[in-house]
Amino acid sequence: MNSGTECLRVPADFLREARRLFGRLRLRPGTAGAGGCPVEVCGGFDGISLAVADGRCRLETFRRIWTAEAGGRGCLWLSRRALAEACRADPGTVVELSACRQAAGTLLRLRCGGAWLESHQPPAGHRPPAAPAPPEGERIQLPVRTLEALATVAAFAGWESAAGLWRRGVCFSPADGGRLIAGDRRRLACVPAVVPPRAFRLPLAAVRVLRHPDFLGYANEVTLPRPGAAPRVMFRAWDHLLVAPMLPPGPWEDEARLVPDPADVRPLPLDEVEREHLLGWLRALRDPRAPVTVQWRDGGMLALEQGGECELQVPLRGRAGLRAPPPPIAWPRLRLSPRDLAAVLRFGGRLHIGVDCGGRALLACQGPGGAFCRVASLARAAAGCRGMRGSGRRPAA
């Protein structure tokens, strides 16, 4: 192999792990996109780091090198295509990256199928904008429970496009001992958690990265910027680092101060087995985007259907394992997306079906420690539901 100006030897397993981690980052619209953003590979005395950036967000992973076979000093740029080619190396081997002297690009030398292969990779084509500088300021340690709560509430922050991943996010609020809040016009979730002392909203593009096991399964050190500095926050979990922008607190901050109290609430007694049954039915739907109808059936049954074809009936059991008696007043009919219904079922806690003050049916959940969530129906509640409150009658099927 012709030696280049710089030569780095990177473990193939590390390249594959980094590629899966980088796949979590949805870069800002208008840049090269997640498929074309080059990867920066830097080697030093203590190890090798791989990073991607788009000028607004930076994701970096580091590996300490303990063997003499891997390592090297220098910095190279790899296109996503070159990274995919390097990941074809046999497990447990080392990939050699060399900057070509005669031709632009990078020379890869890897062991594939027991044989050494060489391939010339063209240059990355462009360099991304300058990577955002890590903030310097107050640091706080977030426990694993905070990252788990972040993954829970993120399911209630709706987004319609790739740009929505940067406009919407999860609010870190220090009010009332610390809470994580996410929502839009139909969804709202709030979970108590240990958060930084300054309120901000983390974009969903960054939340998606923090839901990766490399961040989710460990305590994270959060660094906040100093007053007057660029609004950026840094999350660090072991050898993984994420720098992301901070958005102003969301509009749901004031509304989430009080637990929502629907005007008309009826309990939904579901145990853990029935929840798993419902989640399995949702995962097996042919159309994961078509709305699901939830309504009460005679005989203490909760009926779910999609398009009149896929139907599931779940018995609602009251005390002593007996089936729940018919409700004294009419249950509103819910039309929910499978994604919203699954998010509420995974939230845990006591489920309720009710009608809010605006006359819209909703599914609410009261969790432990003051956590709650609610999802409004895609269609407004039937006009007769609120008028029959307390009448003891139900509309004819």
Side-chain angles (χ1 to χ4, degrees):
M1 177 177 180
N2 296 328
S3 60
T5 56
E6 295 172 347
C7 182
L8 302 176
R9 295 178 297 276
V10 186
D13 297 334
F14 179 43
L15 291 173
R16 277 188 283 270
E17 293 172 3
R19 187 187 180 195
R20 287 192 292 266
L21 176 62
F22 294 160
R24 285 269 178 168
L25 181 61
R26 299 291 179 86
L27 300 179
R28 181 179 55 183
T31 60
C37 182
V39 178
E40 182 184 14
V41 185
C42 292
F45 290 105
D46 53 350
I48 295 179
S49 66
L50 279 74
V52 292
D54 69 341
R56 188 175 182 181
C57 190
R58 177 181 175 86
L59 179 58
E60 180 180 335
T61 181
F62 178 80
R63 171 73 64 89
R64 288 178 173 82
I65 302 301
W66 303 103
T67 62
E69 289 119 13
R73 297 178 59 188
C75 186
L76 296 173
W77 291 91
L78 287 180
S79 65
R80 287 301 180 94
R81 181 178 177 180
L83 179 62
E85 179 70 18
C87 290
R88 294 177 55 236
D90 293 341
T93 61
V94 173
V95 178
E96 295 185 4
L97 313 175
S98 178
C100 298
R101 290 175 175 173
Q102 292 82 7
T106 304
L107 188 63
L108 299 183
R109 186 172 185 264
L110 52 95
R111 193 171 184 84
C112 186
W116 287 99
L117 302 179
E118 290 187 2
S119 64
H120 175 266
Q121 298 295 328
H126 69 281
R127 295 290 173 87
E136 296 181 359
E138 184 177 4
R139 297 182 181 180
I140 183 174
Q141 197 78 9
L142 297 186
V144 179
R145 290 184 178 181
T146 298
L147 275 297
E148 294 174 349
L150 180 65
T152 299
V153 301
F156 297 86
W159 54 279
E160 303 80 15
S161 61
L165 286 170
W166 294 102
R167 291 195 301 263
R168 299 183 181 274
V170 176
C171 181
F172 289 67
S173 173
D176 300 331
R179 299 175 304 169
L180 295 173
I181 306 169
D184 55 17
R185 295 181 178 179
R186 290 197 315 104
R187 293 168 286 238
L188 179 63
C190 177
V191 176
V194 177
V195 299
R198 194 184 313 174
F200 66 93
R201 189 157 42 100
L202 188 66
L204 288 178
V207 174
R208 177 182 172 86
V209 176
L210 295 179
R211 295 177 67 179
H212 189 276
D214 289 343
F215 287 93
L216 184 60
Y218 304 94
N220 279 234
E221 181 187 76
V222 177
T223 303
L224 300 178
R226 295 174 180 173
R232 298 192 186 99
V233 61
M234 183 175 67
F235 291 80
R236 181 187 293 275
W238 290 95
D239 295 330
H240 310 288
L241 181 145
L242 172 68
V243 180
M246 300 169 60
L247 305 177
W252 300 105
E253 168 66 15
D254 294 333
E255 184 171 340
R257 290 187 179 277
L258 299 176
V259 176
D261 184 16
D264 194 2
V265 175
R266 303 169 182 88
L268 191 64
L270 288 177
D271 57 23
E272 294 302 322
V273 176
E274 292 164 346
R275 287 175 187 261
E276 292 299 326
H277 190 192
L278 290 175
L279 288 172
W281 180 79
L282 291 173
R283 287 191 293 265
L285 290 176
R286 294 182 180 179
D287 189 351
R289 297 185 179 182
V292 173
T293 302
V294 182
Q295 59 184 338
W296 170 273
R297 289 284 175 85
D298 291 334
M301 305 293 291
L302 186 70
L304 294 87
E305 63 179 18
Q306 185 188 62
E309 298 179 358
C310 303
E311 182 171 327
L312 174 67
Q313 293 191 5
V314 179
L316 300 181
R317 303 187 183 278
R319 296 181 180 178
L322 300 177
R323 286 195 175 184
I329 49 181
W331 274 31
R333 186 175 181 177
L334 288 169
R335 288 184 69 246
L336 303 173
S337 70
R339 174 174 174 258
D340 291 346
L341 181 56
V344 176
L345 292 174
R346 294 193 186 99
F347 192 85
R350 296 176 298 166
L351 289 175
H352 301 275
I353 291 181
V355 180
D356 62 10
C357 298
R360 173 168 290 186
L362 57 86
L363 180 63
C365 182
Q366 186 71 37
F372 71 87
C373 70
R374 69 181 185 190
V375 176
S377 177
L378 295 170
R380 299 191 67 83
C385 288
R386 292 176 59 83
M388 297 180 61
R389 190 176 307 163
S391 63
R393 296 184 292 110
R394 287 178 293 156

